[in-house]
Amino acid sequence: MKKHNTAEEFARAKEECKSLFEKKLMDYGTSWRIMRPMSLTDQIMIKAMRIRSIEDKGVALVDEGIRPEFIGIVNYCVMALIQLELGPGENLEPAECLRLYDEKLNGATRLMENKNHDYDEAWRHMRVSSFTDIILQKLMRTKEIEGHNGKTIVSEGIDANYMDMINYALFALIKTEPGYNS
């Protein structure tokens, strides 16, 4: 059995997400900059609910599986982190957009590395459907915090939830990669 290398697997999953982000950036520019973070939260919710629906029904009628949806979750979470920092506004130059994309994704990666150290790669023992459920839970938490204008008493903020969703979606991409064996 091949030994897993989390850093390499994570890098591949991140590259898959960034590649699609760059292609869409070429097609659409940064039109998403008009969106408020709450709207991006709802976009992430749509992706996660579709994944859960496919998992529960065992079939997708639209000719896309769950991998593109997990990629979408990563990319929408990165956009939401950018929007939390900058607020909705004018389009960004592509180079600046990609710099911010890398900054946010690398921040989530550092968080994963720290948690992965403490939790000893527990995610490898989880089911992909559990990642979906946790992402949905994080979305419910995020929506609740958004309803409180971003204020919490003892809990992590909206940004921490987006970063956790990025990491759970990347774990799902790793575990659904062709040839992955647990």
Side-chain angles (χ1 to χ4, degrees):
M1 179 187 266
K2 181 182 168 193
K3 181 158 174 41
H4 294 287
N5 183 316
T6 300
E8 288 176 10
E9 291 168 314
F10 223 70
R12 273 195 311 274
K14 285 172 36 178
E15 185 52 41
E16 186 176 2
C17 295
K18 185 176 179 181
S19 175
L20 182 61
F21 185 85
E22 287 177 309
K23 289 172 184 162
K24 289 196 175 207
L25 181 61
M26 291 169 54
D27 285 348
Y28 304 133
T30 56
S31 57
W32 53 269
R33 288 279 294 128
I34 194 78
M35 298 178 81
R36 292 170 281 198
M38 290 187 303
S39 297
L40 289 162
T41 299
D42 287 342
Q43 285 295 123
I44 299 162
M45 178 72 78
I46 290 167
K47 300 283 184 195
M49 290 178 73
R50 181 167 185 269
I51 294 167
R52 179 133 175 203
S53 173
I54 292 168
E55 289 171 347
D56 289 347
K57 295 173 184 170
V59 66
L61 297 183
V62 176
D63 192 23
E64 292 179 349
I66 63 172
R67 285 185 64 79
E69 303 299 352
F70 280 117
I71 292 168
I73 288 171
V74 170
N75 288 340
Y76 276 119
C77 284
V78 170
M79 290 178 216
L81 287 167
I82 292 170
Q83 294 299 77
L84 281 177
E85 179 182 332
L86 302 180
E90 300 297 316
N91 285 338
L92 295 170
E93 290 298 320
E96 176 63 3
C97 183
L98 291 172
R99 184 193 69 74
L100 289 166
Y101 182 95
D102 287 339
E103 176 184 290
K104 301 308 179 195
L105 198 52
N106 290 337
T109 301
R110 284 188 299 279
L111 176 66
M112 178 280 299
E113 290 167 345
N114 292 340
K115 286 186 174 185
N116 211 29
H117 172 271
D118 290 354
Y119 289 94
D120 221 14
E121 299 213 335
W123 66 271
R124 292 207 185 266
H125 305 284
M126 295 173 64
R127 297 172 187 95
V128 172
S129 60
S130 293
F131 299 143
T132 306
D133 290 349
I134 292 169
I135 290 168
L136 284 165
Q137 176 201 35
K138 296 279 181 188
L139 283 160
M140 304 278 292
R141 289 179 179 183
T142 301
K143 289 174 75 141
E144 191 69 28
I145 296 168
E146 288 170 342
H148 299 293
N149 296 315
K151 305 273 189 280
T152 60
I153 298 169
V154 297
S155 304
E156 296 176 313
I158 293 170
D159 58 338
N161 283 289
Y162 285 140
M163 288 199 299
D164 284 344
M165 286 186 267
I166 287 170
N167 288 330
Y168 283 114
L170 288 169
F171 291 151
L173 287 169
I174 291 168
K175 290 194 84 163
T176 60
E177 188 174 45
Y180 178 88
N181 57 9
S182 16

